[in-house]
Amino acid sequence: MILGFLSDFGLKDPYVGIVKAVVLGSNPALRIVDISHQVAPQDVIGGSFVLGSAFREFPSGTVFFAIVDPGVGSQRTGLLAVTEHYTFLAPDNGLLSMVFRYSKKVTCFSIENTHYFRHPVSDTFHGRDIFAPVAAHLTLGVEPQSFGPPCPDPVRLPWPEPVITEHYIEGEVIYIDGFGSLILNIAADLIQHRGPVRKQFKADIKGMELSLLSTYSDVAKGKPIALIGSSGFLEVAINQGSAAEVLGAGIGEPVVVRKVPKV
Amino acid sequence: MILGFLSDFGLKDPYVGIVKAVVLGSNPALRIVDISHQVAPQDVIGGSFVLGSAFREFPSGTVFFAIVDPGVGSQRTGLLAVTEHYTFLAPDNGLLSMVFRYSKKVTCFSIENTHYFRHPVSDTFHGRDIFAPVAAHLTLGVEPQSFGPPCPDPVRLPWPEPVITEHYIEGEVIYIDGFGSLILNIAADLIQHRGPVRKQFKADIKGMELSLLSTYSDVAKGKPIALIGSSGFLEVAINQGSAAEVLGAGIGEPVVVRKVPKV
Amino acid sequence: MILGFLSDFGLKDPYVGIVKAVVLGSNPALRIVDISHQVAPQDVIGGSFVLGSAFREFPSGTVFFAIVDPGVGSQRTGLLAVTEHYTFLAPDNGLLSMVFRYSKKVTCFSIENTHYFRHPVSDTFHGRDIFAPVAAHLTLGVEPQSFGPPCPDPVRLPWPEPVITEHYIEGEVIYIDGFGSLILNIAADLIQHRGPVRKQFKADIKGMELSLLSTYSDVAKGKPIALIGSSGFLEVAINQGSAAEVLGAGIGEPVVVRKVPKV
């Protein structure tokens, strides 16, 4: 069984290794696949996006372990969420927002049964003391409902919805990846159902008008392009460069996508 | 069996992967758990702290592979240290200092038996040529004493001891984690045996007086706090921020902890 | 079986985890060993060097998965290369140049059989949609020739050859590792066949004359040194420091190595 692991722990400190040690100490047969540990510290929204763009690529039955937890030790509870194909462990702070958005049936439980915790529970590292032992028990076969009562209304973060009109879609940058590409809150299908993508659309960003093409090398090296990115969202990129740097655009930068008349 | 792996190799170069390849080439059944490979280059003290705050979280029987080795190829020998629960492979340069501090019984051997090395042995990469093949043989069942003679007096680095008086404890910053939190050389029990932590103590750093509370969110976002960190040491942090940046404090910064009268 | 994985995906985004999820979803028994995911974005030459200095350390039978792919979605094909001991999957853009240089017999196939792809194939993430499912099928036993026709002439990048004369060898910096050490395009054997290394040679770089010694600590802390690095190339380093920073040298910096008269 695979455990997909996402956090903002970084890779300099031993926190990621400690969580793995605790989980594997109880369930040595688990396969742990790191999704990212370089979510910006306490950036629940960014973590939600990274997890949301990754989880559906994992095999059915995968358990996800996601910790971005500015409220550790406070009253926020831990969440165990079961969907049709996956199970998720995370603080109930909105980190699963994108998972909820893309999952049809979700059943949530609050993680409250201290029987499954490691004692004493620290106030600052629930990843080690609560989520890791719960992950071990869960993957060894303990039923989800054993960990606590149903949680009917988990936290969902507001998602910046694009403005959709007959003539254009206005969205914004929601994530910047490691290549400097700007991911927008405009899902591919919003555009695709208006017609074939290639050369039919323009994207306006920072006063520039970019053609919507297929892949980075459709433009010369160093030139900007709009395209459908691999996570299913519209993306603004520079062929072999960083769009964030070259265009000077950050999270929240507005982008308008328009269908253009056939030439 | 788990191999816990710590180094200053970084993740840009293939050195970590090469060590794993050599170990797994001889013992494919090992589970390798990375602790950190981003110890600052040649920072034996920092590596000692990271290893020391992590190793007791691993299951009994774990073998640790720790390489921060400014003296590679010189006369320093390799060390094989056996404690009650664990075995360690490291250069004999003080990298195991914190392990020795927290382990009751330690038996050390010098790694000298070239029969277990990979030949030719390079002068610059003993991780690959000495420690990796020794780790493979050790985890396959070769007895510790087979690798060399007893080493009765391994290198121990001086640990900056806090000054403890009736009225205060004076310590210093010994490690800065990836969130920018300042870890002090003041163990939790030094404070806890003077009374319940919460609101009974103040920490003075950089002319500021901080309350000793339980968790980050006990203060407003951006505010400083002192607390018992997850590795069992006193810590100065900023809720959702970097104490190192905001307070302008680095390794060695002095901190005084005082018990305050009940209000 | 081991899958050695190299890319320029970085560790911030979920791309590495997504590839692993797809591969393990079909072949859960694989051991994946990361070589590096911090090749500079789209740096095919740098990726070629890192892979070239790592692959021979892996056990025979290892399959390598290497993606640095500025031309993703364009007409470049995918490559499956079989050598005496290993199999490689990579875009046909020169990323395997160093592998070819160090391998005696190489048989290459173009990856064209869409039967083994994941559909729909995106234009921007062939690592996930083409190479990952091909890696799973290959490691599960599908024959190399099943994935496409022979590729007799894969792309090879020009390698900057050193100038070799009776009296000196003139080379250049081809890679800078994470410690800031400068790796040269001068293989150890070019020097070694002229006589024993230690103190017999000098290296001239940036107007300085460095002795060719054995290991970093042969000079005082902070001092520069030339030596045979662990990957078998001549290297210029600073003991416990960064040669790239201290000497102000980058990729392409010329270095001349001369044999000096015995004293």
Side-chain angles (χ1 to χ4, degrees), chain A residues 2 11 31 33-39 50 53-54 56-59 175-179 183 214-218 227-231 235 238-241, chain C residues 8-18 20-22 24-25 27-32 38 41-42 69-74 118 122-125 128-129:
Chain A
I2 290 178
L11 296 173
R31 291 294 300 263
V33 173
D34 297 303
I35 299 171
S36 174
H37 300 292
Q38 294 184 340
V39 173
V50 174
S53 64
R56 287 163 295 170
E57 313 285 0
F58 280 72
Y175 184 75
I176 300 174
D177 79 7
F179 294 94
I183 318 292
S214 299
T215 191
Y216 309 107
S217 55
D218 285 342
L227 47 72
I228 305 293
S230 62
S231 54
E235 176 183 323
I238 300 277
N239 183 19
Q240 300 180 54
Chain C
D8 65 346
F9 293 162
L11 296 173
K12 172 181 175 289
D13 301 312
Y15 307 133
V16 168
I18 287 172
K20 292 179 181 177
V22 172
L24 293 172
N27 186 355
L30 269 183
R31 292 293 300 263
I32 302 178
Q38 295 183 341
Q42 286 102 22
D69 194 11
V72 59
S74 70
R118 190 177 96 154
S122 73
D123 287 315
T124 57
F125 197 1
R128 177 190 64 190
D129 302 331

Side-chain angles (χ1 to χ4, degrees), chain B residues 111-119 121 129 146-147:
Chain B
I111 300 175
E112 295 183 4
N113 189 341
T114 59
H115 171 71
Y116 298 109
F117 299 178
R118 190 177 95 153
H119 298 278
V121 173
D129 302 333
S146 305
F147 297 97

Side-chain angles (χ1 to χ4, degrees), chain B residues 12-13 15 28 30 72 118, chain C residues 31 36 57 175-178 215:
Chain B
K12 172 181 175 293
D13 301 313
Y15 307 133
L30 269 183
V72 61
R118 190 177 95 153
Chain C
R31 292 293 300 263
S36 173
E57 313 285 0
Y175 183 74
I176 300 174
D177 78 7
T215 189

Side-chain angles (χ1 to χ4, degrees), chain C residues 147-159:
Chain C
F147 296 97
C151 174
D153 192 22
V155 173
R156 290 162 194 256
L157 295 173
W159 165 261

Side-chain angles (χ1 to χ4, degrees), chain B residues 2-130:
Chain B
I2 289 178
L3 188 77
F5 187 3
L6 172 134
S7 78
D8 66 345
F9 293 162
L11 296 173
K12 172 181 175 293
D13 301 313
Y15 307 133
V16 168
I18 286 172
V19 165
K20 293 179 180 177
V22 173
V23 174
L24 294 173
S26 294
N27 186 355
L30 269 183
R31 292 294 299 264
I32 302 178
V33 173
D34 297 303
I35 298 171
S36 174
H37 299 293
Q38 295 184 341
V39 173
Q42 286 103 20
D43 179 9
V44 176
I45 296 174
S48 169
F49 181 80
V50 173
L51 180 60
S53 64
F55 77 97
R56 289 163 294 170
E57 313 285 0
F58 280 72
S60 190
T62 297
V63 173
F64 293 91
F65 188 101
I67 310 286
V68 179
D69 194 10
V72 61
S74 71
Q75 292 309 308
R76 74 104 190 91
T77 58
L79 202 61
L80 191 164
V82 182
T83 71
E84 201 179 351
H85 298 298
Y86 307 112
T87 306
F88 298 83
L89 297 170
D92 184 18
N93 61 9
L95 186 57
L96 299 184
S97 297
M98 293 285 283
V99 168
F100 296 151
R101 192 179 169 91
Y102 292 118
S103 302
K104 280 175 198 154
K105 279 183 17 183
V106 184
T107 310
C108 289
F109 302 89
S110 292
I111 300 175
E112 295 183 4
N113 189 341
T114 59
H115 171 71
Y116 298 109
F117 299 178
R118 190 177 95 153
H119 298 278
V121 173
S122 72
D123 287 315
T124 57
F125 197 1
H126 288 186
R128 175 191 64 190
D129 302 333
I130 295 179

